């Protein structure tokens, strides 16, 4: 009761802290030592990241890990792995997995430069989805000129969501005026990725029209000849539907309906309902996949995602997506939430279906109620946060019951060139379960948490390059395992909350970069940690990360175990380009724990601009056996290609003819042999 009372008092203090206007705080991650930062920028912008470095002279923030920039002005969000934020002109330079989203578009890019004050800029190697009319745009460079106006260099545009787009236009440059028109220059029109028409200029109104889309034709040894004839119905400005009849010569007929809508009040959704009658197996297959969401300006939101199959083998037999065909689980989720800059409250339910085993063994999260106070500034310390979640787990066979998890944290940091950051917290988890191994119903676990890091950045300029050295010393302490107070019969691992384990680890990281005008050409990082609370192995394996770009590309990571005197893991890849047309790659994968030693090799020959040749080999050094090898002949055009493959494994041989749609993947058109 004393712990509960203390936590209650702690939560009361939250409300007093939640009125802070400016935020500088660490990430609210469960089990890391990284520092998160969040603060208000003029105009309503908020920037959040795991780690911050600040150059006070140049007024540049260097943000690393889970970077997120949100703007209330235009309701936009952009995330990335790394960013540099120039304070004087509000310029954000983002790199790595850049995702931008506002009310009109969703964009993915490798890199981006965005001005947060007026939301303009450009993205490199980007993909855009215009939500209203379902236009998919790809480009080497996509520039946002102002609200609703875009310029695309060397890109494509289509409205099709099918695995093989019914049509698309490729152009050297395109100007898009949202809700008005698209104008392209030097355009190649393609139907099913086959070029049919060239025109020096093409203009198209952004108004949808009802009618038949291009048919989709294919062949599969299991399903036979396949033809699909979609019909598109533009119901209204904010609703449309695609009706798709399918015919499989060897199996049967299918019918699918996809309905899409965008309503006032931030409402949108997409639903796909499909039925297939398999006359060979005498089965009816039903699939329902859909999303519905609503995001209001007041902070309330709702999300519903449904994945339903009446037969668990449907994806394996009929899905055109390789990822879906090998999926082990499907998930349905529903969430109601209320969010502000300071807090978030939610009601969540998740239901998983195991496509390989009986579903009764899964402990389903139905429901979970949570409350989070984002890092807020408080007196004496930099910031305070708390995350609380009460979860009910249900299961037919496995563990079920309730769990209450409370995790408050405080943050403090000092320094500029040399930075010292600290995070401290206390985590309390209460369980009331049934069906546990040892019959314990009530479990109450407590863990104290403390982390600290000392980081510095040193740079030395030479005539042709710059050497950057970033030493870091980190300490992470967790007093108890949150998931168990019984070493013989631990509480079950219900989700990632239980992966909060007892540790007192000190890690030293020595990170080095060599950079020139072309960027980083050598990276070397050496890491080693010592866990005083790990009786089995206090001195953890030393890890090495190395990357070299020139004259030969080489990338490797390795781990060395001082206790056994052995390398426990080595992964490497070496690539040599003998010319623009000849390239050799050799890789190695070694893992002592899993008894894996593989050697891979790839040879690429560009015979001409349209023809290429490739060999792949995969050799198991432990068994002395070639696990796989293949020979490929490619015929390539600008955005499509044909691939003839001959492949062999120890127990199979096959010849395959595939069509390759860039950005979508391979579609097998013909196969012969035992697969």
């Amino acid at each position: 009761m004393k712990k509960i009372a203390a936590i209650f008092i702690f939560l009361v203090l939250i409300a007093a802290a939640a009125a802070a206007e400016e935020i500088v705080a660490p990430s609210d991650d469960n089990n890391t030592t990284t520092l998160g930062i969040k603060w208000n920028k003029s105009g309503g912008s908020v920037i959040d990241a795991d780690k911050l470095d600040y150059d006070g002279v140049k007024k540049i923030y260097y943000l690393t890990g889970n970077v997120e920039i949100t703007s209330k002005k235009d309701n936009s969000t952009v995330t990335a792995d790394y960013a540099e934020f120039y304070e004087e002109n509000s310029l954000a330079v983002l790199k790595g997995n850049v995702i931008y989203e506002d009310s009109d578009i969703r964009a993915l890019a490798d890199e981006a430069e965005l001005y947060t004050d007026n939301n303009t800029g450009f993205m490199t190697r980007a993909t855009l989805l215009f939500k209203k009319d379902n236009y998919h745009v790809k480009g080497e460079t996509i520039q946002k000129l102002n609200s609703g106006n875009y310029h695309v260099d060397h890109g494509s545009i289509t409205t099709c969501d099918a695995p093989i787009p019914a049509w698309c236009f490729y152009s050297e440059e395109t100007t898009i005026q949202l809700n008005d028109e698209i104008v392209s220059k030097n355009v190649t029109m393609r139907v099913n990725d086959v070029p049919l028409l060239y025109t020096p200029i093409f203009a198209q109104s952004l108004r949808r029209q009802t009618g038949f889309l291009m048919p989709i034709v294919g062949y599969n040894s299991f399903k036979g000849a396949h033809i699909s004839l979609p019909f598109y119905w533009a119901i209204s400005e904010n609703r449309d539907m695609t009706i798709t009849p399918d015919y499989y010569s060897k199996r049967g007929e299918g019918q699918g309906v996809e309905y899409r809508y965008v309503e006032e009040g931030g409402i949108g959704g997409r639903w796909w309902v499909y039925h297939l009658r398999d006359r060979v197996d005498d089965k009816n297959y039903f699939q329902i996949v859909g999303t519905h969401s609503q995001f209001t300006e007041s902070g309330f939101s709702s999300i519903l995602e449904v994945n339903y199959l009446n037969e668990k083998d449907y994806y394996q037999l009929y899905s055109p997506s390789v990822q879906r065909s090998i999926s082990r689980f499907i998930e349905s989720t529903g969430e109601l939430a209320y969010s502000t800059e300071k807090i978030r409250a939610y009601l969540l339910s998740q239901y998983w279906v195991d496509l390989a085993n009986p579903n009764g063994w899964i402990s389903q999260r139905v429901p979970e109620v949570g409350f989070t106070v984002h890092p807020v500034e408080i007196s004496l310390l930099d910031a305070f946060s708390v995350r609380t979640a009460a979860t009910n787990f249900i299961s037919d066979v496995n563990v079920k019951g309730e769990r209450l998890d409370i995790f408050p944290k405080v943050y403090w940091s000092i320094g500029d060139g040399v930075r010292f950051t600290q995070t401290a917290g206390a985590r309390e988890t209460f369980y009331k379960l049934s069906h546990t191994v040892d019959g314990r119903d009530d479990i109450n676990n407590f863990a104290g948490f403390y982390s600290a890091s000392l980081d510095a950045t040193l740079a030395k300029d030479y005539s042709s390059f710059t050497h950057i050295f970033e030493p870091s010393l980190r300490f992470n302490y967790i007093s108890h395992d949150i998931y168990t107070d019984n070493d013989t019969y631990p509480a079950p691992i219900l989700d990632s909350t239980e992966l909060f384990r007892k540790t007192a680890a000190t890690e030293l990281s020595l990170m080095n970069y060599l950079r020139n005008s072309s960027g980083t050409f050598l990276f070397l990082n050496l890491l080693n940690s010592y866990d005083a609370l790990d009786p089995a192995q206090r001195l953890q394996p030393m890890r090495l990360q190395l990357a070299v770009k020139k004259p030969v590309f080489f990338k490797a990571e390795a781990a060395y175990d001082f206790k056994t005197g052995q390398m426990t893991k080595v992964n490497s890849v070496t690539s040599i380009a003998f010319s623009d047309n000849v390239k050799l790659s050799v890789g190695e994968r070694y893992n002592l724990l899993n008894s894996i030693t593989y050697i891979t090799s790839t040879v690429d020959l560009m015979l001409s601009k349209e023809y290429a040749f490739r060999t792949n080999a995969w050799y198991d050094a432990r068994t002395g056996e070639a696990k796989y090898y293949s020979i490929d002949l490619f015929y390539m055009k600008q955005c499509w290609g044909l691939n003839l493959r001959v492949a062999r494994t120890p127990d199979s041989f096959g010849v395959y003819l595939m069509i390759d749609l860039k950005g979508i993947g391979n579609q097998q058109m013909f196969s012969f042999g035992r697969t």
Side-chain angles (χ1 to χ4, degrees):
M1 291 299 296
K2 291 182 178 180
K3 291 180 180 178
I4 297 175
I7 292 171
F8 176 78
I9 294 172
F10 216 46
L11 293 175
V12 171
L13 294 175
I14 297 168
E21 190 63 29
E22 185 174 87
I23 305 171
V24 179
S27 162
D28 195 24
D29 199 346
N30 288 6
N31 197 15
T32 67
T33 59
T34 55
L35 176 69
I37 310 93
K38 183 175 288 187
W39 73 92
N40 278 343
K41 187 72 179 170
S42 61
S45 296
V46 178
I47 299 179
D48 190 8
D50 287 343
K51 181 183 176 182
L52 166 70
D53 295 324
Y54 180 65
D55 188 329
V57 177
K58 298 180 179 179
K59 295 185 178 181
I60 302 175
Y61 291 90
Y62 300 92
L63 302 113
T64 304
N66 297 311
V67 179
E68 180 177 302
I69 302 175
T70 59
S71 173
K72 278 192 170 183
K73 184 178 180 181
D74 53 15
N75 194 28
S76 67
T77 301
V78 60
T79 61
D81 295 334
Y82 172 81
E84 296 175 3
F85 186 79
Y86 295 77
E87 189 175 19
E88 290 187 345
N89 57 4
S90 298
L91 171 63
V93 179
L94 305 111
K95 298 181 180 180
N97 299 310
V98 180
I99 302 176
Y100 172 88
E101 185 164 10
D102 61 25
S103 58
D104 294 325
I105 69 167
R106 175 179 171 83
L108 309 177
D110 289 349
E111 300 177 359
E113 294 189 10
L114 301 175
Y115 290 92
T116 60
D117 55 351
N118 59 13
N119 201 19
T120 62
F122 69 88
M123 291 167 280
T124 304
R125 293 177 293 279
T127 301
L128 268 66
L129 170 64
F130 289 88
K131 299 177 181 179
K132 180 179 178 181
D133 292 310
N134 200 46
Y135 271 82
H136 298 262
V137 179
K138 295 182 180 180
E140 282 297 311
T141 302
I142 299 179
Q143 184 177 6
K144 185 174 183 181
L145 304 173
N146 50 51
S147 180
N149 292 325
Y150 300 85
H151 184 83
V152 183
D153 284 328
H154 297 285
S156 65
I157 185 167
T158 181
T159 59
C160 299
D161 297 313
I164 302 177
W167 60 266
C168 60
F169 292 99
Y170 283 80
S171 63
E172 287 188 0
E173 60 176 290
T174 297
T175 300
I176 302 173
Q177 294 179 321
L178 202 61
N179 302 322
D180 190 359
E181 66 174 353
I182 297 174
V183 179
S184 302
K185 297 180 180 179
N186 290 328
V187 183
T188 302
M189 179 182 178
R190 296 172 178 263
V191 175
N192 284 350
D193 268 354
V194 177
L196 295 182
L197 177 67
Y198 169 81
T199 178
I201 190 168
F202 178 83
Q204 179 179 342
S205 173
L206 292 180
R207 298 185 180 92
R208 300 165 297 155
Q209 293 183 353
T210 298
F212 285 98
L213 302 178
M214 290 299 297
I216 301 172
V217 180
Y219 178 82
N220 179 276
S221 59
F222 171 73
K223 295 175 282 190
H226 167 226
I227 183 168
S228 177
L229 186 60
F231 178 80
Y232 177 76
W233 180 17
I235 302 172
S236 64
E237 286 293 324
N238 60 319
R239 302 182 188 92
D240 59 29
M241 180 183 295
T242 303
I243 303 169
T244 307
D246 287 328
Y247 171 76
Y248 300 98
S249 63
K250 291 186 177 181
R251 308 302 297 190
E253 299 78 30
Q255 309 84 34
V257 176
E258 184 175 27
Y259 177 61
R260 297 167 292 266
Y261 55 91
V262 177
E263 306 288 350
E264 293 183 357
I267 299 173
R270 168 177 288 176
W271 292 86
W272 167 256
V273 179
Y274 188 77
H275 165 257
L276 186 143
R277 173 63 183 174
D278 190 320
R279 59 176 179 266
V280 176
D281 293 337
D282 192 25
K283 279 185 178 181
N284 286 296
Y285 290 92
F286 291 96
Q287 177 194 20
I288 301 175
V289 177
T291 62
H292 173 86
S293 62
Q294 180 176 10
F295 297 90
T296 67
E297 294 182 357
S298 61
F300 287 98
S301 64
S302 62
I303 299 174
L304 176 64
E305 297 182 357
V306 175
N307 283 280
Y308 169 78
L309 299 174
N310 72 318
E311 298 287 347
K312 290 187 176 183
D313 60 351
Y314 172 78
Y315 283 147
Q316 184 179 359
L317 295 176
Y318 286 101
S319 176
S321 166
V322 175
Q323 293 298 324
R324 281 192 178 272
S325 67
I326 63 175
S327 296
R328 170 70 185 278
F329 297 95
I330 58 174
E331 175 193 3
S332 296
T333 302
E335 182 187 73
L336 298 174
Y338 174 74
S339 301
T340 69
E341 292 183 1
K342 309 296 184 183
I343 65 169
R344 184 175 190 269
Y346 66 90
L347 173 65
L348 170 72
S349 287
Q350 290 178 313
Y351 190 85
W352 292 83
V353 176
D354 190 335
L355 298 179
N357 299 304
N359 213 50
W361 288 95
I362 301 177
S363 296
Q364 308 285 1
R365 188 195 305 255
V366 183
E368 176 176 287
V369 179
F371 178 75
T372 299
V373 174
H374 302 307
V376 293
E377 190 179 76
I378 58 177
S379 59
L380 301 180
L381 297 169
D382 283 346
F384 170 81
S385 72
V386 68
R387 180 164 54 203
T388 304
T391 311
N392 178 63
F393 294 95
I394 63 172
S395 177
D396 295 334
V397 180
N398 206 359
V399 175
K400 59 183 179 180
E402 295 77 41
R403 182 189 68 200
L404 174 63
D405 182 59
I406 305 172
F407 190 16
K409 298 161 81 174
V410 293
Y411 313 92
W412 179 68
S413 64
I414 60 171
D416 187 6
V418 177
R419 302 165 298 278
F420 180 59
T421 63
Q422 297 180 88
T423 306
R427 190 165 195 171
E428 184 99 20
T429 309
F430 304 90
Y431 297 87
K432 187 172 183 60
L433 305 172
S434 59
H435 294 179
T436 55
V437 176
D438 58 350
R440 291 180 301 155
D441 294 333
D442 298 297
I443 306 173
N444 177 12
N445 290 332
F446 174 85
F449 167 78
Y450 174 77
S451 70
S453 66
L454 184 65
D455 305 274
T457 301
L458 307 172
K460 174 68 174 177
D461 290 325
Y462 295 90
S463 58
S464 58
F465 67 91
T466 300
H467 177 205
I468 300 173
F469 177 49
E470 295 184 350
S472 174
L473 184 64
R474 301 176 184 274
F475 176 71
N476 190 32
Y477 174 74
I478 300 174
S479 63
H480 297 82
D481 288 347
I482 202 65
Y483 75 101
T484 178
D485 58 3
N486 185 320
D487 294 332
T488 305
Y489 297 108
I493 303 297
L494 298 170
D495 56 28
S496 61
T497 299
E498 279 76 39
L499 302 179
F500 195 77
R501 299 187 172 180
K502 186 176 181 179
T503 186
T506 303
E507 181 183 77
L508 176 64
S509 171
L510 304 175
M511 191 176 300
N512 292 266
Y513 303 88
L514 295 183
R515 294 176 179 171
N516 56 21
S517 58
S518 301
T520 300
F521 61 90
L522 186 145
F523 166 78
L524 175 66
N525 190 20
L526 188 66
L527 305 97
N528 205 190
S529 63
Y530 180 87
D531 192 343
L533 299 182
D534 187 348
Q537 187 172 5
R538 288 185 169 84
L539 184 60
Q540 301 293 305
M542 182 176 62
R543 292 168 288 154
L544 174 69
Q545 300 167 340
L546 174 65
V548 181
K549 285 189 175 182
K550 293 181 178 180
V552 175
F553 177 82
F554 176 74
K555 186 176 181 179
E557 58 175 343
Y560 177 79
D561 193 333
F562 292 100
K563 184 176 181 180
T564 62
Q566 292 180 298
M567 300 293 292
T568 59
K569 180 178 71 172
V570 178
N571 295 324
S572 66
V573 60
T574 304
S575 297
I576 304 174
F578 296 98
S579 68
D580 292 339
N581 299 325
V582 182
K583 182 178 179 181
L584 170 66
S585 296
V586 179
E588 177 193 22
R589 183 183 177 193
Y590 169 75
N591 190 298
L592 180 64
L593 179 63
N594 297 322
S595 188
I596 293 175
T597 304
Y598 294 143
I599 298 174
T600 61
S601 67
T602 302
V603 178
D604 287 298
L605 301 175
M606 290 295 299
L607 305 177
S608 69
K609 291 183 178 180
E610 296 182 344
Y611 291 94
F613 175 84
R614 172 181 292 171
T615 65
N616 271 306
W618 174 18
Y619 179 76
D620 190 335
R622 288 190 178 271
T623 63
E625 183 179 31
K627 291 293 185 182
Y628 174 84
Y629 72 84
S630 65
I631 299 174
D632 292 85
L633 181 64
F634 299 94
Y635 173 73
M636 298 170 291
K637 299 298 288 184
Q638 181 184 0
C639 66
W640 70 280
L642 292 176
N643 174 204
L644 177 64
R645 172 175 296 175
V646 179
R648 177 179 289 277
T649 69
D651 55 1
S652 68
F653 171 80
V655 179
Y656 313 90
L657 180 63
M658 292 166 282
I659 184 169
D660 181 20
L661 303 173
K662 304 301 182 183
I664 297 176
N666 287 327
Q667 296 294 315
Q668 184 171 301
M669 304 297 290
F670 168 80
S671 65
F672 171 80
R674 190 160 58 94
T675 61

